[in-house]
Structures are given as structure tokens and as C-alpha cells.
Amino acid sequence: MQKILNTDEAENYTHYMDPKVANYICGGHPETFESYKNFTVFVFPMYDIRQPGLSASRVIVYLDHEDLFLLCEGQRGYGRVSSLFHTEETNERALWTFFRNLLKNDMDNLEDLECEVADAEMAAMVRFNHNYIQKIISYRKELLRLKRYYEQLDAIIDGLILNENGLLSEEGVLHFRILASRTTRYLENVLNLRDYVTQMREAYQAQIDIDQNNLMRLFTVITTVFQPLTLMVGWYGMNFSYMPEIDWEYAYPVFISASVLVCGALLYFFKKKKWF
């Protein structure tokens, strides 16, 4: 028997399987993958990577020699599983088809996400964007979610390939090996994209540090230029009577000229050193 059930209504599946197993699934918390002598049960969060804002729907899968039950959490999860699951001649074929449909367009969606990240980086290079860090944080959260998602799927499919209780045929194991390689490839793509986003954040932070250093250098140049003038003003502001140039009629123009000359010499020196 192949059937989709809702976890909110325990009575819907207690009639289809061993009462002990039904009570365990209903009241317990199955691990990611558990293989027993006569049945296999596993649970995973089903994400729709086309809609990053939506939360995951928890799906529990029960498989034995005769039955395949998919227990869905919530109406949204039930509807999505119903759209992906199709009844087949054998349970292993139906389960393989479900996972194949689940992963069907993931590579296209990952490529779209990669293009979106690249466009965000290009836009940040063209002009400064205060929301750039927030975008990087959102990308990192999404990639972390996808990383956990594909890691769990990878662990589940690996457990099915081991086939410790002999529920799958050799052909079924071969089909799941194909799914395993696809899931591993998606996981590697997510990890590479996460490293790329990390490099984007580091490059953006380095650019901010460079801009801040340039600003501090400019302030340092301005301070250095006016420091001699401050000394000269303090010196002549003491008004000592024995300073002969105080009574000289050209003292004021000469002082102004000397101040301009000092500023010009310092600015020329800093410009030659490319400090600003």
C-alpha cells in the first residue's frame, strides 16, 4: 500500500501499520534515518528552495516490505507531497520517484541564486550600498538552511543505499545511488556558493577598511598641514617686546606668505608621496 497521510490526524495511519510503530511515530521523535529488521523510518524537513521565506514542512517516511507511507506535517506540506508523489508498481520505485521530483529543478534554482548573488556583488562594486551587509547575511542564512537540507537528504539516501534490512532490490539501490550523486553535487554547489558569499563579505569589509583608512589619512594630512601654522601663531601670539619683526611694517604680509609657503610645501610633499 502506498499512501499520503497527515501527522495531525493520528487515527489516519494507526490502522495501516503495526500499533507499536504507529505509536512510536505519533508520540516519539524519529531520528533522521532509522533502519530496523522489518521496516525503515526517517524524517526530514522538506524545503521549497524556490520560496526562501517559507518554513520547512516536516515529512516522515515509513517503508516496509508491503507499505510506503508519507506522513506530512500541516496542510501545506500535505499539498506539496501530494504534488510530488505518484503511485508506482513498487514501493521503492514510488519512493525514488518522489525524491527525484523533489530534487528535479534544484540545480536551476541554485544557479538562479548564484546569479542573484553575483548581481548583488556587481551592484555593490558600482555604488556603495548600505543594505549590502544585510543581503550578505540573508544569503548566508539561506545557504546554511540549504546546506542542512541537502546534508539530511544525503544521509537519508546513503542509509537507503546501505539497505541493511533488504527492503530495496539491487536495481532500487542503483537508482538511489544516482540520486545520492545528485544530492552530493547540490551540496557541493551550496558549499561553494557559501564560500563565495564569505569572500564577498570579506572583500566588502576590506573595502570599508580602505575607505576608512583613506579618510583617516586625509585627516592626518590636514592636521599635519595646520600644525606648523598653529606653532607659528602660538609663537607670535606671545607678543614679546624684544621681537624686532613685530614693529616691522611688512611683518604681517611676510607672516601670511610664510604660512602659505609652508602649507604649499607640505601639500606638495604629501601629493608627491601619494598620501591623498
Side-chain angles (χ1 to χ4, degrees), residues 33-37 39-40 42 63 92 95 153-170 172-178 180:
F33 187 91
E34 298 181 55
S35 179
Y36 297 93
K37 181 178 180 181
F39 69 92
T40 294
F42 56 86
L63 173 68
E92 64 180 32
L95 185 61
L153 287 182
D154 199 35
I156 289 171
I157 296 177
D158 285 345
L160 290 172
I161 291 174
L162 287 176
N163 197 25
E164 295 177 339
N165 47 19
L167 295 180
L168 303 180
S169 64
E170 292 184 1
V173 171
L174 179 62
H175 287 159
F176 276 102
R177 287 187 187 278
I178 298 174

Side-chain angles (χ1 to χ4, degrees), residues 1-5 13 16-17 39-42 59-71 81 85-99 160 167-168 176:
M1 179 184 296
Q2 301 169 12
K3 199 169 185 64
I4 304 173
L5 304 169
Y13 58 89
Y16 299 113
M17 63 183 71
F39 69 92
T40 294
V41 59
F42 56 86
V59 178
I60 302 174
V61 178
Y62 171 84
L63 173 68
D64 60 22
H65 290 282
E66 298 179 355
D67 301 314
L68 171 63
F69 299 128
L70 278 72
L71 314 176
V81 170
F85 183 80
H86 303 290
T87 303
E88 299 284 349
E89 295 180 0
T90 61
N91 292 334
E92 64 180 32
R93 182 73 181 181
L95 185 61
W96 177 82
T97 303
F98 169 74
F99 279 113
L160 290 172
L167 295 180
L168 303 180
F176 276 102

Side-chain angles (χ1 to χ4, degrees), residues 2 9 32 38 89-90 98 112 139 143 148 151 157 162 168 176 202 209 211-212 227 251 257:
Q2 301 169 12
E9 302 174 356
T32 301
N38 297 320
E89 295 180 0
T90 61
F98 169 74
D112 292 341
Y139 289 144
L143 291 171
R148 293 173 177 171
E151 283 178 342
I157 296 177
L162 287 176
L168 303 180
F176 276 102
E202 293 174 352
D209 294 339
D211 293 340
Q212 290 177 346
Q227 192 66 37
S257 300

